[in-house]
Amino acid sequence: MSDTKRVTDEEALLLHSSGRPGKLEITPTKPLTTQRDLALAYSPGVAAPCLRIAEDPSLAYDYTAKGNIVAIISNGTAVLGLGDLGALAGKPVMEGKAVLFKRFADVDGIDLEVDTRDVDEFVNCVRFLGPSFGGINLEDIKAPDCFIIEERLRELLDIPVFHDDQHGTAIIAAAGLINACDITGRRIEDVKMVVNGAGAAGIACAELFCTMGVSRENIILCDTKGVVYRGRTNGMNQWKSSFAVDTDKRTLEEAVAGSDVFVGLSAKGAMTQEMVKSMAAKPIIFALANPDPEITPEDVKAVRADAIVATGRSDYPNQVNNVLGFPYLFRGALDVRATTINEAMKVAAAKALAALAREDVPDEVDAAYSGRRLRYGPDYIIPVPFDPRLIVTVPAAVAQAAMESGVARKPILDLTSYKHSLRTRLDPTADSLELILEKVRTNPRRVVFAEGEEERTIRAAMAFRAGGYGTPVLIGREEVIKEQLVAMGQPNVQFEIHNARLSDANRRYADHLYRRLQRKGALLRDCQRMVNQDRNVFAACMVAQGDAHAMVTGLTRSFGVAYEEIRRVVDPKASEPVFGLHLFITRNRTVFIADTTVHVRPDGKTLADIAVGAAAKARQMGHEPRIAMLSFSNFGQTPHPNTDPLREALSILDSRRVDFEYDGEMSADVALDYQLMKRVYPFSRLSGPANVLIMPGLHSANISAKLLNKMAGGQMIGPLLIGLDKPAQIVSMGASVNDIVTAAALAAHDSLPW
């Protein structure tokens, strides 16, 4: 298994401090360019919605962002596993929670850090903020304060109040329990359970398990002082007392003996192999302490092969991860304008997750996690976090439960249409990219970092290895790389380093290159010089000769130069063009742009081939391709020799009977604005706005991609080099460490067998 930390403290600090500090910004959703825009959005136009809301407060959901905003509120008294750090030190976590809300469910999160440890002050602060938000997510508040705060705020406010540290963990654990009981042939009403840890999460799990059907008398709760039994006075409170049982057992070891289920929300090492041996047949063990579980799955399996084990760790099967719950729970609650999140909604979320794990896993998810075999069974009782079905399944179940339990102020009349809206709410690119990266983690590769002496390259190689993607191989002088590591404060980091001039493989690589270039004007000594002196040629030879799976370069040379050097060694795939593809990702939308790097003025056949390749990549990234052949002209409006290749490409695609939508030639505004397209050109073949733009030439493609990268508000990935027979990626000279890691991982993925 991998290390508990996939990123270093230095990397995390750099991410949080680089560019605009932090992880959030406020972006307007309406145009604010002209004075008229401002007059409508603010004074005097803003008076109209104000007056309407004063007459009918429910209209705030129609005229403001209230219905999609959740406040993430903490006083920092129980920050992750770090303890009482205070409100300000907890802010990075709250910002991170806001990012997760947006990333997984398109919910806007606003973090609020309340600088008090007094329960009354905290409640009074938050209660008056209710009109601003559609829901409140309490976070990282110590027990028992969190119980009191949540209970009082739920009574005072008419919007959902949810403490994720309690109920988020409980929902995911409950889903796992449903399926673990099913697999082991148990009735949930009959299980004998030990819950170790009487904090917020432990109490909430026990409470939800009871709601699901577990008998309260069959749960033994333990804390640092042992079993919570009737008559105990030391370290008790009203929440622990509700789980006090008549028993002569006093220690965790005694409690576990003969039990069916162990749920740990405590500390590393709390569970031993001897305790595991003492449990009933087919024991269910949820060791959820983070970052290190109460007992590792390896230690459990060493003594009980019949056990089902879940942890909070992503590098083990059955991860109990709160991100499976809270974003989707709030999504469903907000969409029906729920007044609260009740037990029925939590149960619905748990049952939806459990049911999803029993369904056939989509090919792209299964491929990503192929090392784990995602089939319902002991090692797959909970869906994985990047399953694209979650955004549909869980919110719909929560919304329906809210309606059935009478807490929905805006019932959804057509659940089928609602599920469709959920399916299209998020751009699939992020999930697809993560699935690609996960597939690399389960099939680690050797990737050559050709510019190994560069600091950014070295940092990227460290991150690549820490991310679990495989073995980075650096090309460069060993003494220079070690000097860089010392300067970076990493003198003990070790890499596989190859000096092109001194490598034992030089003769073999030179012979390979000579066989390729001897009839293209190159002498053997020329090939020897290129291998000895050119790191891109050397790296490409490593890949071509099977000494590595893929390579990445680009920091120190222009794309054209790097591409030419790689092409001396590597051919295109048979009957496929090599081209560059950029992905431009904005809110809820991804646009693929090709060819941005290789063909200066492609002919019709090349454009058609590029369209086919770009469509395949779009599908791999989770999009159904709609291709537009771009030009300054729309459908022959301005006949010109420059538009002839585009029309020729269209004819070629017609003759091939390809299985994706395409049309052109058309201008960019028509391609991207579907309403304009259908109004002015109703005959267009596209069923929606184009998401793959085939550019007429390298000048327009490259300029467009770089302008978008520097001036627009989205994220750019690329250029991705597509069509080479051996995997290689060329980053831009200004690429960040993260850009290099992504390119290296994508190159690694291209090397995997399909």
Side-chain angles (χ1 to χ4, degrees):
M1 293 300 166
S2 65
D3 297 335
T4 60
K5 293 180 71 173
R6 281 185 173 167
V7 298
T8 65
D9 290 348
E10 184 181 34
E11 286 179 299
L13 292 172
L14 182 62
L15 180 141
H16 283 79
S17 63
S18 61
R20 186 191 296 260
K23 299 187 285 285
L24 301 172
E25 67 176 348
I26 302 296
T27 302
T29 59
K30 303 295 187 293
L32 298 172
T33 306
T34 68
Q35 179 60 43
R36 176 175 170 77
D37 293 338
L38 296 174
L40 288 168
Y42 194 53
S43 181
V46 74
C50 289
L51 293 172
R52 292 290 182 89
I53 293 168
E55 295 170 0
D56 181 358
S58 69
L59 291 177
Y61 288 91
D62 297 317
Y63 295 127
T64 76
K66 176 183 172 74
N68 199 55
I69 295 183
V70 168
I72 303 157
I73 306 181
S74 178
N75 62 0
T77 53
V79 179
L80 295 177
L82 304 174
D84 187 349
L85 299 183
L88 187 60
K91 184 174 175 63
V93 178
M94 304 313 122
E95 285 190 2
K97 199 66 177 277
V99 171
L100 295 178
F101 266 113
K102 192 66 177 177
R103 163 66 180 81
F104 288 99
D106 192 29
V107 172
D108 295 316
I110 301 292
D111 67 294
L112 298 172
E113 290 72 39
V114 181
D115 192 13
T116 181
R117 290 169 175 78
D118 183 274
V119 169
D120 292 332
E121 289 182 346
F122 189 98
V123 170
N124 281 329
C125 173
V126 176
R127 65 180 293 193
F128 296 115
L129 299 174
S132 301
F133 307 106
I136 290 176
N137 183 97
L138 300 173
E139 193 80 16
D140 290 356
I141 303 170
K142 69 178 182 179
D145 294 0
C146 59
F147 304 124
I148 303 169
I149 288 170
E150 184 189 42
E151 183 177 336
R152 287 175 58 183
L153 287 174
R154 289 183 66 181
E155 293 172 353
L156 291 166
L157 297 172
D158 64 348
I159 57 175
V161 178
F162 181 82
H163 184 212
D164 186 49
D165 299 311
Q166 295 180 61
H167 311 299
T169 302
I171 289 167
I172 316 309
L177 180 65
I178 292 169
N179 283 340
C181 287
D182 175 68
I183 292 166
T184 58
R186 291 180 168 93
R187 294 176 68 248
I188 199 168
E189 295 86 354
D190 300 330
V191 298
K192 295 181 179 180
M193 176 184 293
V194 174
V195 176
N196 188 46
I203 296 290
C205 283
E207 289 285 1
L208 188 57
F209 295 157
C210 290
T211 302
M212 303 289 295
V214 178
S215 170
R216 194 172 287 265
E217 293 301 314
N218 283 349
I219 297 177
I220 295 180
L221 181 68
C222 298
D223 61 12
T224 55
K225 295 178 173 59
V227 171
V228 174
Y229 58 90
R230 285 202 178 105
R232 187 182 123 175
T233 58
N234 187 20
M236 296 293 288
N237 57 45
Q238 68 186 77
W239 297 277
K240 292 182 186 179
S241 295
S242 68
F243 285 96
V245 292
D246 288 322
T247 180
D248 58 357
K249 298 178 179 181
R250 293 295 181 265
T251 66
L252 175 62
E253 185 175 9
E254 293 172 351
V256 165
S259 65
D260 300 300
V261 181
F262 169 83
V263 179
L265 296 137
S266 50
K268 176 183 178 181
M271 185 74 161
T272 67
Q273 288 181 315
E274 292 304 314
M275 294 182 194
V276 174
K277 289 179 184 178
S278 73
M279 293 181 70
K282 298 180 181 179
I284 299 168
I285 298 171
F286 288 5
L288 306 182
N290 257 326
D292 298 302
E294 286 81 358
I295 186 169
T296 66
E298 295 98 325
D299 286 345
V300 172
K301 296 295 184 180
V303 295
R304 293 296 295 270
D306 60 341
I308 291 179
V309 186
T311 72
R313 289 272 295 270
S314 62
D315 52 353
Y316 290 116
N318 300 327
Q319 183 192 16
V320 175
N321 188 334
N322 283 20
V323 81
L324 292 169
F326 70 86
Y328 310 114
L329 190 71
F330 271 100
R331 180 73 275 153
L334 292 171
D335 289 341
V336 295
R337 300 181 187 174
T339 58
T340 187
I341 291 175
N342 57 24
E343 293 303 298
M345 295 160 74
K346 288 183 255 180
V347 169
K351 288 183 176 179
L353 287 168
L356 187 60
R358 302 187 191 194
E359 295 181 10
D360 287 338
V361 179
D363 290 343
E364 64 271 23
V365 179
D366 194 42
Y369 292 86
S370 57
R372 302 185 188 176
R373 185 169 173 75
L374 299 185
R375 298 292 182 272
Y376 180 58
D379 287 337
Y380 181 62
I381 61 174
I382 309 169
V384 291
F386 290 94
D387 190 321
R389 299 171 297 173
L390 288 165
I391 183 60
V392 176
T393 303
V394 182
V398 170
Q400 185 162 5
M403 292 186 288
E404 292 174 353
S405 60
V407 298
R409 286 179 287 202
K410 186 185 178 184
I412 295 169
L413 301 179
D414 186 345
L415 276 173
T416 300
S417 296
Y418 175 57
K419 289 179 181 179
H420 177 73
S421 71
L422 290 170
R423 191 174 291 111
T424 59
R425 186 162 195 129
L426 294 178
D427 188 288
T429 304
D431 279 342
S432 299
L433 182 59
E434 182 57 33
L435 291 173
I436 287 172
L437 299 182
E438 186 61 32
K439 186 172 183 180
V440 176
R441 290 190 192 103
T442 58
N443 301 272
R445 315 303 275 173
R446 281 172 57 84
V447 175
V448 184
F449 290 73
E451 298 154 311
E453 295 179 1
E454 298 297 311
E455 180 183 345
R456 277 179 290 166
T457 299
I458 296 170
R459 291 187 183 279
M462 292 168 59
F464 181 88
R465 182 165 60 190
Y469 303 124
T471 302
V473 179
L474 299 184
I475 307 301
R477 293 164 292 178
E478 186 171 3
E479 64 275 13
V480 175
I481 294 172
K482 288 185 175 180
E483 286 173 5
Q484 285 277 33
L485 287 167
V486 170
M488 292 161 51
Q490 303 288 339
N492 298 320
V493 173
Q494 299 293 320
F495 284 112
E496 179 181 337
I497 300 171
H498 291 261
N499 185 328
R501 187 179 296 276
L502 304 177
S503 173
D504 294 337
N506 277 15
R507 182 55 187 264
R508 178 161 53 94
Y509 293 168
D511 288 345
H512 170 75
L513 189 60
Y514 184 50
R515 286 192 297 272
R516 291 178 51 81
L517 302 183
Q518 59 190 349
R519 292 185 178 274
K520 297 181 180 179
L523 302 175
L524 177 59
R525 68 179 63 183
D526 297 324
C527 296
Q528 291 171 333
R529 175 180 51 77
M530 283 186 273
V531 169
N532 289 345
Q533 297 181 8
D534 193 304
R535 293 171 188 172
N536 285 334
V537 171
F538 185 88
C541 285
M542 286 192 74
V543 177
Q545 288 287 287
D547 296 334
H549 295 106
M551 67 169 286
V552 63
T553 187
L555 285 184
T556 61
R557 301 181 190 184
S558 69
F559 185 97
V561 171
Y563 176 70
E564 181 182 347
E565 291 165 347
I566 292 169
R567 283 284 284 109
R568 290 172 183 163
V569 184
V570 179
D571 289 326
K573 292 179 182 177
S575 303
E576 293 186 24
V578 180
F579 65 95
L581 183 71
H582 275 82
L583 286 69
F584 183 63
I585 305 169
T586 61
R587 184 178 180 271
N588 302 339
R589 186 173 187 176
T590 292
V591 175
F592 299 80
I593 307 171
D595 164 32
T596 55
T597 57
V598 178
H599 298 278
V600 175
R601 190 172 292 279
D603 58 21
K605 181 182 182 305
T606 302
L607 286 170
D609 291 341
I610 290 171
V612 171
K617 179 59 71 171
R619 279 198 173 125
Q620 187 188 74
M621 300 299 290
H623 297 263
E624 187 55 36
R626 291 186 298 273
I627 289 182
M629 299 285 181
L630 289 196
S631 176
F632 60 88
S633 174
N634 286 296
F635 305 105
Q637 187 178 46
T638 309
H640 190 278
N642 285 348
T643 64
D644 291 343
L646 298 166
R647 288 193 290 274
E648 181 187 353
L650 229 63
S651 297
I652 293 171
L653 292 175
D654 289 342
S655 67
R656 293 182 184 178
R657 301 184 181 277
V658 296
D659 62 348
F660 53 81
E661 295 180 18
Y662 58 92
D663 210 345
E665 80 277 17
M666 64 177 73
S667 59
D669 57 338
V670 171
L672 297 173
D673 186 341
Y674 188 60
Q675 296 303 316
L676 174 63
M677 184 192 305
K678 297 311 290 182
R679 185 173 70 251
V680 182
Y681 306 103
F683 53 82
S684 172
R685 303 171 181 175
L686 301 187
S687 63
N691 55 12
V692 181
L693 308 180
I694 306 300
M695 308 297 275
L698 184 58
H699 55 300
S700 56
N702 194 271
I703 290 169
S704 298
K706 290 182 177 178
L707 277 174
L708 284 171
N709 190 30
K710 292 300 181 183
M711 298 189 67
Q715 177 190 359
M716 185 71 79
I717 296 178
L720 305 183
L721 189 57
I722 296 172
L724 286 178
D725 190 45
K726 299 292 183 180
Q729 291 297 338
I730 304 171
V731 301
S732 66
M733 295 176 71
S736 67
V737 170
N738 192 55
D739 293 335
I740 302 168
V741 175
T742 300
L746 290 172
H749 182 264
D750 288 342
S751 73
L752 294 172
W754 293 91

